[in-house]
């Protein structure tokens, strides 16, 4: 069962007893373009392909039942956001009159009376609204007699659903650093750990924003305590970690006596949220001071856990040899503490990948948040945004993520040349062209397969995600690279698997030129699949 299915099933169950509605404003598929953005925690990251796959999968999950029947469970409904029309006029001054803004949003009756909108346009919007209500069963009488009417409290917080919460959290955790194979920790060698940090024993923080009511919370401290003896010190009374909230002495003492130290730092909704963008991307307040002081005092290895929705500049920790392990856990949900502990102690092999670029602080020092241009501008020194266009240094890159296993890649099959057929009289038959505009008749069935053999060369079973990127020829301000496909494969220790990735030439190898036309660049495209690079020539 998928996360979306559980959400929809539990929503129906709670609706049937009067505790929930049936319209969910989800998912958020905005592209995460600026590391300071407070709502980055709500969306799947900075890559358009990833966002589209996430959205389609989640919506399908919401709409399907266990049998796969999508009837009557959710309907995709596109509307304006809450008070957005008011924001149009009072905050953004989009037009000169309230009626003008309402007309743009097709919502206000005054716009109809003023002749700006036709009454039929207004009727259509209302009809759409009632269609959604009808699809959801609002007018079908007693809900208990309908298709999902038997769902109730027994279907909420089931053992299966709670296990899915743990598994979802495990899959989302990203191992960023593991120097010398310091992780996983051994329960035979490590008898005690110091658990330190303002996010070490949090409950509501772990479920992020726009949250539901969880069945129960498992904090990081509770999760770790299930494995070995723990000593807890907050180090800071809150994530702001300013002034008198810093408590160094107790934290340093605990770290000096324990076999290992786990620091659980990062952010919460007081730092990042809707209408709360960050001013910089360092860890808040004196968290860096706390981490450094505890690390210097620690008797054993130090594992740093970052809990946040957005990226952090943790260059100081990445380069510190006394901090051999770093995890990013996002806001991992109600069972997040159990998942963190499962990975730290090796019950689960990490497989998460970063969905966004982690920039250095120097990036936000020179890039205005109001400049949303994706492409770099050498004339002004503007470095661009996201892995597709950004030209500067990174702390960590989109797609980064380690495993406790080494995965070896071998290219089995891939073409070296692809030709785009041209109709008679096409201008590129008589003169040299850098690119070909994508047209329906030239793109049908123009695809190829790439086969990669993947071996889990480690001692633990685990999942591994193959990302297939393309670096196109450098014309039309094309991206440095962009994601074409991704596939996750589960392999046992020393097991070998075959991953097949299909590439649509005109869809996947095209980019948009300066005037908005979709074109395939002719010349050498470099495909990146895992550790493999393959040159593909696209011609006519």
């Amino acid at each position: 069962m998928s996360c979306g299915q559980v959400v929809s099933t539990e929503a129906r169950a709670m609706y049937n007893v009067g505790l929930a509605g049936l319209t969910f404003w989800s998912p958020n598929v905005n592209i995460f373009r600026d590391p300071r953005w407070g709502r980055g925690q709500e969306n799947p990251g900075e890559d358009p392909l990833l966002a589209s796959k996430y959205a389609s999968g989640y919506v399908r999950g919401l709409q399907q039942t266990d049998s796969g029947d999508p009837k009557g469970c959710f309907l995709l409904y596109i509307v304006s956001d809450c008070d957005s029309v008011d924001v149009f006029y009072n905050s953004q001054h989009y037009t000169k009159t309230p009626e003008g803004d309402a007309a743009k949003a097709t919502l206000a009756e005054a716009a109809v009376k003023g002749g700006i909108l036709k009454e039929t346009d207004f009727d259509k919007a209302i009809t759409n609204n009632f269609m959604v209500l009808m699809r959801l069963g609002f007018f079908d009488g007693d809900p208990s007699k309908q298709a999902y009417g038997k769902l109730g409290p027994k279907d909420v917080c089931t053992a299966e659903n709670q296990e899915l919460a743990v598994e979802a959290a495990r899959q989302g955790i990203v191992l960023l650093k593991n120097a010398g194979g310091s992780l996983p920790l051994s329960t035979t060698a490590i008898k005690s750990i110091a658990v330190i940090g303002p996010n070490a024993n949090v409950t509501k923080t772990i479920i992020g924003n726009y949250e539901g009511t969880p069945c129960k919370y498992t904090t990081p401290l509770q999760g770790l305590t299930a494995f070995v003896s723990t000593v807890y010190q907050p180090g800071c009374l809150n994530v702001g970690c300013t002034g008198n909230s810093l408590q160094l002495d107790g934290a340093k003492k605990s770290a000096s006596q324990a076999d290992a130290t786990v620091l659980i730092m990062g952010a919460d909704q007081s730092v990042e949220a809707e209408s709360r963008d960050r001013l910089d991307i360092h860890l808040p307040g004196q968290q860096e001071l706390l981490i450094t002081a505890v690390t210097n005092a620690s008797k054993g290895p130090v594992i740093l856990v970052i809990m946040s929705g957005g990226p952090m500049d943790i260059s100081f920790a990445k380069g510190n040899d006394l901090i051999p392990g770093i995890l990013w856990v996002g806001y991992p949900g109600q069972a997040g503490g159990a998942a963190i502990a499962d990975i730290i102690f090796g019950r689960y092999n990490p497989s998460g990948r970063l969905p966004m670029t982690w920039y250095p602080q120097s990036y936000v020092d020179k890039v205005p948040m109001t400049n949303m241009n994706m492409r770099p501008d050498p004339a002004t020194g503007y470095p661009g945004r996201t892995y597709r266009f950004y030209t500067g240094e990174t702390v960590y890159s989109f797609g980064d993520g380690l495993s406790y296993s080494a995965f070896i890649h071998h290219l089995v099959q891939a073409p070296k040349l692809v030709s785009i057929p041209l109709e008679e009289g096409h201008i590129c038959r008589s003169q040299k062209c850098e690119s070909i505009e994508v047209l329906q008749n030239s793109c049908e069935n123009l695809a190829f397969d790439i086969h990669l053999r993947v071996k889990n060369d480690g001692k633990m079973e685990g999942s591994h995600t193959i990302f297939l990127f393309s670096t196109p020829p450098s014309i039309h301000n094309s991206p440095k690279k962009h994601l074409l496909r991704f596939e996750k494969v589960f392999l046992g220790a020393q097991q070998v698997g075959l991953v097949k990735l299909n590439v649509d030439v005109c869809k996947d190898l095209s980019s948009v030129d300066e005037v908005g036309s979709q074109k395939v660049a002719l010349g050498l495209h470099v495909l990146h699949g895992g550790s493999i690079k393959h040159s593909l020539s696209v011609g006519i």
Side-chain angles (χ1 to χ4, degrees), residues 286-302:
Q286 300 181 85
Q287 287 193 31
E288 182 174 332
L289 171 63
L290 172 62
I291 293 168
T292 301
V294 168
T295 298
N296 291 337
S298 180
K299 181 177 76 171
V302 175

Side-chain angles (χ1 to χ4, degrees), residues 185 190 192-196 248-263 289-304 320-324:
L185 298 182
I190 303 294
S192 65
I193 57 172
V195 184
I196 296 169
L248 279 181
D249 292 343
K252 290 164 62 177
K253 181 179 179 180
S254 295
S256 70
Q257 296 174 346
D259 294 332
T261 298
V262 179
L263 283 158
L289 171 63
L290 172 62
I291 293 168
T292 301
V294 168
T295 298
N296 291 337
S298 180
K299 181 177 76 171
V302 175
I303 308 304
L304 175 61
N320 189 334
D321 293 338
L322 298 178
I323 304 177

Side-chain angles (χ1 to χ4, degrees), residues 76-221:
L76 177 62
Y77 180 42
I78 301 172
V79 297
S80 66
D81 187 8
C82 297
D83 59 353
S84 58
V85 180
D86 177 74
V87 172
F88 272 2
Y89 178 65
N90 288 313
S91 299
Q92 298 178 348
H93 311 294
Y94 191 72
T95 71
K96 294 181 179 180
T97 65
E99 291 81 9
D101 286 312
K104 294 291 184 183
T106 66
L107 286 176
E109 186 176 0
V112 178
K113 292 180 178 178
I116 302 173
L117 278 176
K118 295 179 182 179
E119 188 172 343
T120 54
D121 296 327
F122 197 68
D123 290 342
K124 184 178 180 181
I126 295 175
T127 299
N128 289 340
N129 189 44
F130 275 97
M131 284 177 64
V132 171
L133 296 176
M134 292 174 69
R135 287 285 301 274
L136 292 172
F138 274 80
F139 308 115
D140 291 346
D142 186 353
S144 67
K145 297 179 181 178
Q146 305 308 319
Y148 306 102
K150 301 304 180 183
L151 294 174
K154 71 182 189 314
D155 302 294
V156 178
C157 292
T158 65
E160 182 184 14
N161 292 0
Q162 292 190 55
E163 178 56 32
L164 181 62
V166 181
E167 179 60 20
R170 291 182 188 127
Q171 290 192 29
I173 292 174
V174 184
L175 177 61
L176 293 173
K177 181 181 178 181
N178 192 19
S182 58
L183 287 172
L185 298 182
S186 166
T187 53
T188 56
I190 303 294
K191 299 298 185 182
S192 65
I193 57 172
V195 184
I196 296 169
N199 278 335
N201 199 33
V202 291
T203 52
K204 191 172 182 180
T205 296
I206 62 179
I207 58 176
N209 70 343
Y210 295 115
E211 72 283 3
T213 302
C215 309
K216 61 180 181 180
Y217 294 103
T218 303
T219 72
L221 176 62

